């Protein structure tokens, strides 16, 4: 009797049946002879060795327990994307590696909680002009992020309070200028499967004011998502960013999935985030590109289903 491959689609306790974007993947894999099972990453009852592959999807609660999440990733026998990618990508200091390699990123001031910054010291490190963003280095989606105005006294006070809350909880903090083009053009996310570009989607403005101190759930809902056609410059910057990942980590196999989030600065595209751990891949916003089918094919290839196309393509 032939036993179908089993794939764990890894999620969190808040989304035990997967996110709405990922649910169609179960049927797509079933069509390819694969049993796909939603599995909560920190469920102690799950035997991860019983799966032919575990694919990280909506594990959006990892930020408050990152060490535990990284240890879990290292314990899974066959994980996509692999544990070294998870560890590298769940701390946004990877932006330093991109910058060192010449990839354009948003300029960032990094605040280390071990330095015990005073409120005055935090104040001196904030921009004097233009809106700016405060966010933790380890965070899922835009939770715990806020946008502030330096010329508004109350806004600046709230920004300092936000930074101090994060530092007091022993979290590294990022200070970045707010890229105003986002208000009109949004962020653009370029989606890759098995090393090949699939499609792009534009996300509406996410940060409109201070980070809330109460009442925020697992993540903030997106205001708007729509399919877009990326420019050659955006494709080029995204490709360069992903090439850095390959070089930094010495990867010998294409990432199963990747999403590169860009904004437009005065001199062109800037990387705001690399999403290599638990990104939404916007299957519902892929336009005429069969991203869901291609993703299912890439998973099928990795669990040994014949006839599914593989790729060693570069990120272009």
């Amino acid at each position: 009797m032939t036993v179908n491959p089993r794939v764990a689609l890894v999620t969190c306790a808040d989304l035990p049946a997967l996110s709405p974007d990922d649910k169609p993947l179960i049927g797509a894999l079933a069509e390819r002879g694969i049993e796909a099972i939603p599995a909560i990453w920190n469920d102690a009852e799950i035997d991860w060795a019983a799966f032919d592959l575990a694919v990280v999807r909506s594990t959006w609660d990892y930020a408050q327990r990152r060490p535990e999440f990284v240890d879990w990733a290292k314990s899974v026998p066959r994980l996509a994307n692999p544990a070294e990618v998870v560890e590298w990508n769940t701390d946004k200091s990877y932006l330093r590696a991109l910058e060192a390699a010449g990839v354009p990123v948003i300029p960032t001031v990094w605040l280390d909680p071990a330095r015990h910054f005073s409120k005055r010291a935090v104040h001196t490190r904030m921009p004097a002009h233009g809106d700016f963003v405060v966010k933790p280095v380890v965070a899922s989606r835009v939770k715990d992020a806020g946008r502030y105005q330096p010329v508004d006294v109350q806004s600046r006070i709230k920004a300092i309070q936000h930074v101090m809350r994060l530092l007091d909880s022993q979290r590294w903090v990022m200070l970045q200028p707010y890229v105003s083009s986002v208000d009109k053009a949004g962020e653009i996310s370029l989606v890759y499967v098995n090393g090949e570009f699939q499609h792009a989607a534009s996300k509406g403005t996410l940060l409109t004011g201070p980070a809330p101190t109460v009442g925020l759930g697992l993540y903030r809902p997106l205001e708007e998502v729509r399919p877009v056609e990326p420019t050659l410059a955006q494709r080029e910057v995204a490709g360069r960013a992903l090439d850095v990942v390959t070089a930094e980590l010495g990867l010998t196999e294409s990432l199963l999935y990747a999403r590169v989030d860009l904004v437009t600065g005065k001199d062109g595209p800037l990387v705001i985030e690399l999403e290599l751990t638990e990104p939404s891949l916007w299957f519902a916003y892929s336009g005429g590109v069969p991203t869901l089918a291609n993703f299912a094919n890439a998973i099928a290839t990795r669990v040994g289903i014949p006839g599914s196309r593989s790729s060693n393509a570069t990120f272009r």
Side-chain angles (χ1 to χ4, degrees):
M1 178 182 295
T2 301
V3 178
N4 289 354
R6 300 177 75 237
V7 169
L9 300 178
V10 188
T11 185
C12 62
D14 294 272
L15 294 166
L18 301 176
S19 70
D21 195 57
D22 283 323
K23 286 180 180 179
L25 188 56
I26 296 175
L29 290 171
E31 291 174 358
R32 290 156 177 80
I34 298 170
E35 182 184 7
I37 302 170
I40 298 170
W41 71 269
N42 56 342
D43 184 343
E45 300 300 316
I46 294 177
D47 177 12
W48 297 100
F51 293 98
D52 297 278
L53 183 68
V55 181
V56 179
R57 296 311 309 127
S58 44
T59 56
W60 295 336
D61 63 350
Y62 78 83
Q64 302 300 325
R65 53 178 85 174
R66 178 176 175 267
E68 179 187 350
F69 183 62
V70 171
D71 286 345
W72 164 81
K74 292 178 179 179
S75 75
V76 178
R78 194 168 181 210
L79 183 70
N81 291 327
E84 61 266 31
V85 174
V86 170
E87 183 171 23
W88 186 86
N89 184 237
T90 51
D91 183 321
K92 291 183 178 63
S93 61
Y94 65 73
L95 291 170
R96 292 175 166 178
L98 298 186
E99 185 176 28
V103 177
V105 301
I106 298 177
T108 302
V109 174
W110 306 86
L111 301 181
D112 180 354
R115 295 187 59 182
H116 304 291
F117 287 100
S118 66
K119 291 182 179 179
R120 180 175 179 80
V122 169
H123 172 82
T124 62
R125 284 161 174 80
M126 290 180 171
H129 305 284
D131 288 12
F132 64 96
V133 173
V134 173
K135 59 186 176 183
V137 170
V138 177
S140 180
R141 301 167 81 85
V142 294
K143 189 175 181 181
D144 294 327
R147 175 180 171 182
Y148 302 93
Q149 297 78 42
V151 296
D152 182 302
V153 174
Q154 290 304 311
S155 183
R156 198 171 185 90
I157 289 173
K158 289 180 180 179
I160 293 171
Q161 292 171 339
H162 183 183
V163 171
M164 297 307 294
R165 286 197 305 271
L166 294 173
L167 292 176
D168 288 346
S169 62
Q170 300 304 303
R171 300 174 76 180
W172 275 74
V173 178
M174 305 166 66
L175 303 177
Q176 296 178 322
Y178 182 77
V179 181
S180 59
S181 65
V182 173
D183 291 334
K184 291 185 178 180
E187 295 179 18
I188 183 170
S189 297
L190 282 74
V191 174
Y192 294 77
V193 170
N194 221 25
E196 294 185 346
F197 172 72
Q198 299 293 304
H199 71 274
S202 173
K203 300 179 289 182
T205 301
L206 300 179
L207 293 178
T208 57
T213 56
V214 295
L216 184 62
L218 186 62
Y219 64 95
R220 292 184 181 181
L222 298 177
E223 294 187 3
E224 179 185 4
V225 181
R226 59 185 177 86
V228 296
E229 185 65 31
T231 66
L232 290 177
Q234 289 167 335
R235 290 278 301 270
E236 194 269 339
V237 167
R240 286 168 58 195
L242 290 171
D243 287 345
V244 171
V245 180
T246 298
E248 283 282 315
L249 299 179
L251 301 180
T252 58
E253 184 179 36
S254 295
L255 295 168
L256 176 61
Y257 55 87
R259 201 184 83 202
V260 185
D261 293 347
L262 304 174
V263 294
T264 302
K266 63 179 181 179
D267 296 320
L270 301 170
V271 175
I272 186 168
E273 285 189 344
L274 286 182
E275 295 278 8
L276 313 178
T277 302
E278 29 63 88
S280 295
L281 298 178
W282 311 134
F283 297 128
Y285 305 98
S286 60
V289 179
T291 304
L292 177 65
N294 291 341
F295 191 42
N297 284 340
I299 292 172
T301 296
R302 297 195 182 204
V303 297
I305 299 293
S308 299
R309 190 163 58 92
S310 62
S311 171
N312 292 315
T314 57
F315 300 105
R316 301 299 180 196

